[in-house]
Amino acid sequence: HGGLRRYDEALADYAQARVAFTAAGDRLALARVDAYQGLLDISRGRPADALPVLAGAAERLQAFHALIEELHTRVGLVYAHLALLQPAQALAQNARLAELGERVGDPRRRHYADLARARGLAATGHLAEAQAIVDALEATAAAEPALLLEQTRTWLPLVAGQLALVRDDAADAVIQARGALAVTDEDDPIERAAAFLL
């Protein structure tokens, strides 16, 4: 339901899951429910609602050593902080995201975390570090696109284009914006708006 943007139904699903896992006493599953609901709130354009839910879930997932779920939750925290114009708090997730990226076995998840790290670095003026990450991701996209999750492939040209604007390379920014429009879902207003703005 969340993937179909049927958010009310997705929220009802999570409420049912929370009741069931509470009755079962499954604290790890409850942390996962909170994490996914927080990510859903970001998709719904509600980063302020997502932030406390994701923060609590990230700590519990870390305690359970649920690496992949924690990684996705901390990426959500980065994006929630950035949406709320809190770049320093977004950057605070960087070290843990780098650690998680090294520990998960799936390179797609590592690249997903790397793009979030690049966004946090760029938002706080660490442009050279952000550019190095973006360059590495673009090389991966060119050589082995299957090693990037769809979300990473979608957002990569947007981040690359924003960095191009900062370094006064308007021509590259336009190319990246057009690339972003080519890969974004027409039903995703946030990503398409970001590409048109770029």
Side-chain angles (χ1 to χ4, degrees):
H1 285 143
L4 294 169
R5 296 184 181 86
R6 290 160 59 177
Y7 297 133
D8 289 342
E9 291 168 87
L11 287 170
D13 294 336
Y14 287 133
Q16 286 185 320
R18 186 171 283 106
V19 169
F21 289 132
T22 298
D26 191 334
R27 293 184 299 139
L28 174 56
L30 283 168
R32 288 177 172 143
V33 170
D34 283 348
Y36 292 128
Q37 183 169 336
L39 295 171
L40 181 71
D41 283 335
I42 291 176
S43 297
R44 296 191 310 148
R46 298 181 180 213
D49 293 340
L51 205 52
V53 176
L54 290 171
E59 294 304 317
R60 286 180 287 146
L61 291 166
Q62 182 173 353
F64 280 109
H65 305 287
L67 301 181
I68 292 175
E69 292 94 337
E70 184 192 347
L71 183 149
H72 281 268
T73 303
R74 292 194 184 276
V75 167
L77 279 170
V78 169
Y79 292 160
H81 281 302
L82 290 176
L84 294 169
L85 303 180
Q86 300 170 344
Q89 291 91 326
L91 187 64
Q93 298 298 321
N94 225 34
R96 182 61 180 165
L97 275 175
E99 180 184 345
L100 288 166
E102 290 301 317
R103 292 176 62 191
V104 298
D106 185 350
R108 299 173 308 153
R109 312 286 176 182
R110 182 176 66 250
H111 299 320
Y112 181 64
D114 285 344
L115 186 62
R117 291 177 54 233
R119 293 185 68 189
L121 287 163
T124 52
H126 297 84
L127 302 178
E129 294 171 71
Q131 189 66 59
I133 292 172
V134 167
D135 289 345
L137 289 172
E138 288 183 318
T140 299
E144 297 183 83
L147 292 182
L148 299 180
L149 293 174
E150 181 181 349
Q151 301 99 312
T152 310
R153 287 195 304 271
T154 299
W155 276 98
L156 180 57
L158 290 171
V159 177
Q162 289 158 358
L163 287 169
L165 274 185
V166 171
R167 66 174 186 272
D168 292 326
D169 189 345
D172 186 38
V174 168
I175 290 169
Q176 296 287 359
R178 288 181 178 148
L181 286 168
V183 297
T184 53
D185 184 341
E186 291 193 6
D187 293 330
D188 192 323
I190 294 174
E191 291 173 3
R192 292 191 68 78
F196 280 119
L197 179 61
L198 179 60

